Structure formats: C-alpha cells, structure tokens
C-alpha cells in the first residue's frame, strides 16, 4: 500500500501561492507532498533517512529535474542547509510502506523481526530491549506510549527478550496496550522526539521573512512538542501569562484535522493534526 499524504489539501492552502518558492520537504516518504509542491511550481529539497524511498526519490527527480533535490538523511540534518527558505514542512510519524512491510518490524499485524529502524542503521528494537535496564525500558513505555503498569510490562518484555513482532505482541495481555508499546519502542529506536526537537530548534534561522513552518502530527507526544514550540515562537515578549522566548517572531496559522471525506479515503489519517506558523 502506497502512503497517502495526509492533510495535503490543508497544507497546500496554508502554504498559499508557492510558484517559484524554495521548500524543504523534511519527510519525503513516498513523495506525495514533494510532488504536490513541485506541481505547484516550487523548488524542493527533500529529506528521508529510509533507504527504501530512494527509488521514489529518483522517479521524482527524473520527472522534475533540477527543481528537486533529495538528501538521504534524517530531517534533523536540515541544520546543514545553506541559505533561507520559503517553507519547511514536516509530515511526521510512520508511513504506510513501513507499517505494511512485516520485515521492517513496525507493526503487530504481521510477523517479522523486531527491527523498527527507519534508516536500517543502529540498534534494532530487539537490541534496544536487550541493552536496556528494566527501569529504562519502563521509562520508554511511560514517556512514549503512556503505558499503564509500565514497570511490570517492562519486566515481562525485558525477561522474555522477544525477537519478533508476534513474540512481543503475545507478551502484552491487554489489547489496548499493544499499539502503545509498539509506538513507544519505535519512537525510542529512532529517537523521533530528539530528532524533532533538534529540527525545530533550527527552523527559525532557515526561514526567510514570510516563510512558513507546517507540521502534521499523528500522536499526542509529537503534537505536544510542536504545539508548545509554536506557542513559544508566537508569544509576544512581555506577556505575563506566557514565557518570553528569544527567537524570531512568528504568527500562528489556522490548524486543521482530516475531513470526513479524507477519513473515508484514508482511515489512517484519523489522528492527524496540522499546525503551522509564519515568520514575521
């Protein structure tokens, strides 16, 4: 199943006229956002650390030529970009291609190695479990999955040392905890929240005046980071009810969630939330 770009219409409306604009697509995926930006006349630099998307990136380059550049790396590498840009867009979370490939180990719906690495490099989820203490594993489950009785769950996982997705799934007796446990381990394996915080830290210096940063989030943890960061950027100095932050001034853009029509076409969009800001 190809990844369907979520909230694409809302993102395009938030960006406005992008003909001739320089846009960073921080999460290329299957290229849905990049293609939309290019078809609207923009020039795009896209990042993705998943080596499995390189073929799609080559196809986009073959179609659009020099207006498209692909960087094989995590979006935290945007701090290496020269110059300033008209927009930086993040479509966070996990793609359908990753979920639906059992060999990647992201999903509990198909059996495969307990991997979960987006880049294919570093420690897998099975190795993370083996190399973590019970306390550290419990903290991961609490912080990234809001798992109830995280200590007991961490002990069971640590002692069993599962090597496959079904082995991990079968350790989790409460069905409501299965998705949160898998989510927590995936976030930890890929340092998703650290990557997001680092990338957002450098966004203000990469946007020109009038430039926009737009984030599409899929769970409350990453959405909270984006919401709080954007709140700090848009807070007027001297407001007694909000912290004063020494970054460039920003104005908030209208938020968006999927429409009923979009949810019918793509049920995986149900938790998506778009937030954006504009540099002023």
């Amino acid at each position: 199943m190809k990844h369907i770009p979520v909230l694409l219409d809302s993102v395009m409306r938030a960006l406005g006229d992008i003909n001739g604009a320089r846009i960073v697509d921080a999460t290329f995926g299957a290229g849905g956002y990049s293609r939309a930006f290019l078809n609207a006349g923009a020039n795009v630099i896209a990042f993705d650390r998943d080596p499995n998307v390189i073929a799609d990136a080559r196809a986009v380059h073959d179609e659009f030529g020099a207006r498209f550049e692909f960087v094989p790396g995590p979006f935290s590498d945007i701090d290496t970009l020269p110059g300033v840009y008209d927009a930086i867009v993040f479509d966070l979370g996990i793609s359908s291609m990753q979920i639906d490939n059992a060999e990647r180990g992201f999903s509990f719906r198909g059996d495969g190695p307990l991997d979960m690495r987006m880049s294919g490099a570093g420690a897998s989820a099975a190795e993370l479990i083996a190399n973590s203490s019970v306390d550290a594993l419990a903290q991961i489950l609490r912080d990234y999955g809001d798992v109830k009785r995280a200590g007991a769950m961490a002990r069971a996982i640590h002692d069993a040392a599962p090597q496959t997705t079904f082995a991990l799934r079968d350790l989790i007796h409460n069905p409501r905890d299965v998705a949160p446990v898998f989510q927590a381990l995936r976030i930890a394996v890929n340092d998703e929240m650290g990557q997001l915080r680092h990338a957002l830290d450098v966004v203000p210096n990469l946007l020109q005046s009038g430039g926009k940063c737009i984030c599409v989030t899929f769970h409350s943890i990453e959405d909270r980071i984006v919401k709080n960061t954007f709140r700090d950027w848009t807070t007027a100095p001297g407001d007694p009810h909000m912290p004063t932050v020494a970054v460039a001034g920003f104005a908030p853009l209208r938020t968006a969630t999927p429409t009923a029509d979009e949810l019918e076409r793509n049920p995986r969009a149900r938790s998506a939330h778009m937030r954006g800001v504009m540099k002023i």
Side-chain angles (χ1 to χ4, degrees):
M1 178 179 175
K2 277 288 188 181
H3 182 71
I4 301 172
V6 175
L7 289 172
L8 178 57
D9 291 343
S10 297
V11 169
M12 296 301 289
R13 283 194 296 272
L15 290 175
D17 182 6
I18 56 174
N19 186 35
R22 300 178 71 207
I23 296 182
V24 178
D25 180 357
T27 46
F28 176 78
Y33 276 26
S34 283
R35 284 184 178 276
F37 302 156
L38 290 159
N39 283 325
N43 302 282
V44 176
I45 297 177
F47 286 76
D48 206 300
R49 57 176 155 174
D50 189 338
N52 290 343
V53 310
I54 291 175
D56 285 322
R58 285 174 179 160
V60 174
H61 186 271
D62 289 344
E63 183 175 351
F64 293 97
R67 288 203 292 121
F68 175 76
E69 178 184 349
F70 178 72
V71 181
F75 56 65
S76 58
D77 284 354
I78 64 172
D79 62 2
T80 65
L81 289 174
V84 291
Y85 299 84
D86 297 289
I88 301 174
V89 181
F90 297 84
D91 176 17
L92 300 167
I94 189 170
S95 72
S96 295
M97 302 93 69
Q98 292 166 332
I99 294 173
D100 295 333
N101 184 349
E103 291 302 310
R104 303 295 301 275
F106 287 104
S107 175
F108 50 85
R109 300 189 185 281
D111 198 16
L114 192 57
D115 194 319
M116 299 190 183
R117 295 173 296 175
M118 291 183 177
S119 67
S124 68
E127 291 167 333
L128 174 71
I129 291 168
N131 296 330
S132 297
S133 67
V134 172
D135 287 345
L137 194 54
Q139 195 67 48
I140 288 171
L141 298 181
R142 279 191 291 267
D143 290 350
Y144 299 145
D146 195 24
V147 175
K148 308 304 180 187
R149 301 184 70 242
M153 179 68 68
R155 170 61 68 185
I157 294 172
H158 183 272
D159 290 350
Q163 298 297 306
T164 69
T165 53
F166 277 6
L168 174 61
R169 182 198 65 182
D170 293 344
L171 289 169
I172 307 168
H173 300 301
N174 187 339
R176 288 180 294 184
D177 285 336
V178 174
V181 167
F182 273 71
Q183 171 185 286
L185 290 173
R186 187 203 84 220
I187 290 173
V189 165
N190 296 287
D191 187 27
E192 293 178 37
M193 300 307 103
Q195 294 277 328
L196 177 58
R197 289 188 178 94
H198 178 80
L200 290 175
D201 281 347
V202 302
V203 162
N205 292 329
L206 289 172
L207 288 176
Q208 65 178 355
S209 180
K212 298 173 181 177
C213 178
I214 295 175
C215 295
V216 176
T217 64
F218 289 87
H219 57 74
S220 61
I221 303 166
E222 63 191 12
D223 188 59
R224 189 179 308 117
I225 292 172
V226 172
K227 179 177 68 175
N228 290 342
T229 299
F230 285 0
R231 179 203 63 193
D232 291 346
W233 291 357
T234 57
T235 298
D239 185 336
H241 302 293
M242 300 292 284
T244 299
V245 180
V247 299
F250 284 80
L253 302 174
R254 181 174 296 180
T255 62
T257 54
T259 64
D261 287 343
E262 180 168 5
L263 290 175
E264 185 175 354
R265 296 192 307 270
N266 184 16
R268 287 177 176 171
R270 62 187 177 275
S271 61
H273 199 134
M274 187 199 82
R275 300 181 187 275
V277 289
M278 181 176 68
K279 188 172 181 177
I280 54 176

